[in-house]
Amino acid sequence: MDRTAQLTARVTEREIAYDPPAAYTSLHVRAAGVLEASWTGSSTVPSRSLYPHQWSWDSAFIAIGLRHLSPLRAQTELETLLAAQWGDGRVPHIVFNPSVPLDAYFPSPDFWRSSTAGRAAGAPRTVQTSGIVQPPVHALAAWLVHCADPGLSRARGFLAGVYPRLAAWHRYLLHRRDLGGGGLVSVVHPWEQGMDNSPCWDAPLARVTPAPARSFRRADLDHGAAEDRPTDLDYGRYVRLATDYRDAGYADGADRGAARRASVEGGGGRRAGEFAVEDPAFNALLIASEHALARIAGELGAPGTARHARAERLTAALVDRLWDPGSGMFLCRDLRGGGLVPERSVSGLVPLLLPGLPRDLVATLVRTLGGPHFGLGSDTRLVPSYDLLGEAFDPHRYWRGPAWFNTSWLLERGLRTHGDRERADALREAVLSLAGATDFAEYVDPYTGEACGATGFGWTAALALDLLHRPVGHGVSPTGPGTFDRSDKGGDRA
């Protein structure tokens, strides 16, 4: 029996999750095949050709799907990522595979220089990583993975092993990245937020002098059309920001002042910290993971009350700092330029995931989701990454309009959290239908469903698997985003 068949059969043998409906058996097997082909032995690459290393939030989403095939592999996925955590608590956005040639991906390990440039921040010496981070989905993923097979999780001490690392990760974000002083976390590079090329970054990036084109070579253009990828100008700005952050020793907040002074005294003279943005999706995922971390604490015999309370305080700060009534959604706040960025992106809808969001804001977000700016259910089947009416909208260019499967998965969960099962079921069906029709594309044209980017994409396959195992019509626990009502074994809730 081949490995894909073994993984598929194991679901039935262990009865750790609901079997998918018979109509989706083929989709289930195909999705399992994508994850099997992308498995390296300790983690899963998002795409063998385009993204040949381990990515932080990709691995969290992939683990959520893998739990239905092999809870052990899902646990290993997260453990491998967290083993590369830095001493200051940050979880790097890339963990590099040393067997992959340096020219297969840029920026490569020799650009980031984590073990030397990141020494003061506690970068690991035995593995090479990037120095920036990605959205903190990991505690939510860890809880869902535990719920798939609590017996195996307890026998292996899975939660006991990852809890201290997850707690340190959250401490890093809350203590070192509150650059605006209002309680929210800031990103210091567009790659950290995950929606790399969003028009939300255009104004903050305009202040950044791009790195010379001759100073780097873009490997992404070897695998995708230039018209679908970030422009050379934007990429030059990404490289400049990453270079400055690296040369400041990957220091944050007050520490960056000392690093900047040292750089000036040493002749470097660059101004660090030109980009600092409070993003709604990044902070919403931290809040969701705080709720999940409270459940993990409860499973380990510790009270989770303080974490639930922190999640509620963060929710209040999110509303206070990023809600824009005129736009009917959350917006990014540019800390260097001042004020909210007047661009509507899917990031501003992701807080729908949060159980503590005020009801009037929930209702407004749902209206915005189905209104002319995003058109869900009328013009579009999946949620576009950017405002359909925005001047920068492009249905094919990276994060400037195409629909992504992970953000639609988050919004499906948000709709279900707030009891809107009809819209949630329709979005679930659209994710499954388009994932299968596009061979698990990285992203799609929001109008036509045409595949864009890579196919056989890791989180697309994984999240389709997760939705296949979700009973239609069921909701999400109203006490928090940590569990589903049935398929995540309610008897094991904290």
Side-chain angles (χ1 to χ4, degrees):
M1 182 185 295
D2 64 31
R3 294 295 302 279
T4 301
Q6 288 176 349
L7 284 173
T8 304
R10 198 173 302 151
V11 176
T12 304
E13 291 168 6
R14 295 184 60 86
E15 295 184 342
I16 57 171
Y18 286 85
D19 291 330
Y24 284 116
T25 299
S26 174
L27 184 62
H28 181 275
V29 172
R30 289 167 55 206
V34 168
L35 297 180
E36 176 62 21
S38 301
W39 177 248
T40 68
S42 59
S43 64
T44 309
V45 299
S47 164
R48 284 285 185 183
S49 59
L50 188 55
Y51 305 107
H53 302 284
Q54 184 180 25
W55 260 259
S56 174
W57 77 325
D58 290 75
S59 275
F61 287 123
I62 286 168
I64 288 170
L66 270 178
R67 68 194 176 115
H68 300 293
L69 301 175
S70 169
L72 176 59
R73 185 176 290 188
Q75 292 173 28
T76 302
E77 182 82 36
L78 295 173
E79 290 165 344
T80 299
L81 177 69
L82 293 173
Q85 185 173 29
W86 289 28
D88 63 4
R90 82 182 73 194
V91 176
H93 99 294
I94 304 174
V95 181
F96 290 105
N97 182 342
S99 68
V100 174
L102 287 178
D103 62 359
Y105 181 81
F106 178 84
S108 52
D110 56 343
F111 171 87
W112 295 104
R113 306 171 199 165
S114 60
S115 59
T116 53
R119 185 181 295 121
R125 296 185 179 183
T126 58
V127 63
Q128 294 295 311
T129 76
S130 65
I132 60 175
V133 302
Q134 275 192 324
V137 199
H138 311 90
L140 174 59
W143 177 249
L144 295 178
V145 167
H146 163 79
C147 290
D149 192 339
L152 175 66
S153 174
R154 291 169 186 144
R156 294 187 68 247
F158 170 64
L159 291 182
V162 300
Y163 180 82
R165 291 184 177 275
L166 293 170
W169 169 218
H170 287 204
R171 279 197 302 274
Y172 166 78
L173 293 172
L174 292 166
H175 296 166
R176 306 295 287 275
R177 288 297 192 89
D178 180 10
L179 304 182
L184 296 184
V185 173
S186 297
V187 296
V188 298
H189 195 291
W191 289 339
E192 291 198 312
Q193 194 266 357
M195 303 176 192
D196 308 0
N197 197 36
S198 170
C200 295
W201 315 136
D202 289 355
L205 278 175
R207 297 187 296 270
V208 178
T209 302
R214 65 183 181 277
S215 67
F216 61 92
R217 189 191 76 83
R218 296 180 58 177
D220 63 319
L221 297 182
D222 295 340
H223 306 283
E227 60 268 23
D228 292 346
R229 305 291 298 176
T231 65
D232 286 342
L233 178 61
D234 283 337
Y235 215 92
R237 286 168 169 152
Y238 302 154
V239 172
R240 170 67 72 194
L241 283 174
T243 301
D244 288 353
Y245 192 38
R246 178 198 67 200
D247 293 349
Y250 296 113
D252 297 300
D255 293 339
R256 279 194 110 165
R260 188 181 304 124
R261 288 191 296 275
S263 176
V264 171
E265 292 164 4
R270 288 180 181 164
R271 179 181 179 272
E274 291 177 283
F275 185 97
V277 176
E278 293 175 349
D279 173 75
F282 194 102
N283 281 279
L285 291 170
L286 175 62
I287 295 167
S289 278
E290 271 291 306
H291 280 300
L293 208 54
R295 292 175 178 275
I296 293 172
E299 167 68 21
L300 297 175
T305 308
R307 291 201 176 276
H308 280 308
R310 181 181 294 120
E312 295 306 322
R313 290 197 301 273
L314 288 169
T315 301
L318 183 72
V319 172
D320 179 61
R321 291 183 64 80
L322 304 186
W323 177 254
D324 182 56
S327 300
M329 61 188 301
F330 293 88
L331 301 179
C332 294
R333 180 175 292 277
D334 179 5
L335 297 180
R336 297 294 181 254
L340 297 176
V341 178
E343 299 284 2
R344 295 176 172 90
S345 88
V346 67
S347 172
L349 300 172
V350 170
L352 188 63
L353 183 70
L354 303 177
L357 209 60
R359 289 185 178 182
D360 58 328
L361 269 62
V362 170
T364 301
L365 283 175
V366 172
R367 285 196 300 271
T368 300
L369 184 61
H373 294 285
F374 293 92
L376 186 66
S378 55
D379 297 323
T380 63
R381 293 183 66 196
L382 295 188
V383 186
S385 54
Y386 177 65
D387 184 357
L388 298 173
L389 305 180
E391 291 185 10
F393 175 79
D394 185 327
H396 285 187
R397 192 179 288 276
Y398 211 62
W399 290 109
R400 300 178 82 84
W404 292 69
F405 290 88
N406 66 326
T407 49
S408 285
W409 181 89
L410 289 168
L411 289 168
E412 189 271 354
R413 191 176 181 86
L415 290 166
R416 214 169 287 283
T417 294
H418 295 286
D420 197 337
R421 296 183 179 181
E422 182 177 350
R423 286 188 178 88
D425 286 345
L427 187 51
R428 171 188 181 273
E429 182 62 30
V431 168
L432 294 175
S433 174
L434 288 172
T438 61
D439 194 22
F440 306 102
E442 185 178 0
Y443 51 99
V444 299
D445 182 308
Y447 289 119
T448 68
E450 176 189 350
C452 302
T455 54
F457 199 71
W459 74 29
T460 304
L463 297 176
L465 273 172
D466 187 61
L467 293 179
L468 281 174
H469 287 269
R470 181 96 54 81
V472 176
H474 284 274
V476 174
S477 169
T479 59
T483 58
F484 296 127
D485 280 347
R486 289 178 57 193
S487 60
D488 292 318
K489 309 296 185 187
D492 291 292
R493 296 176 190 165

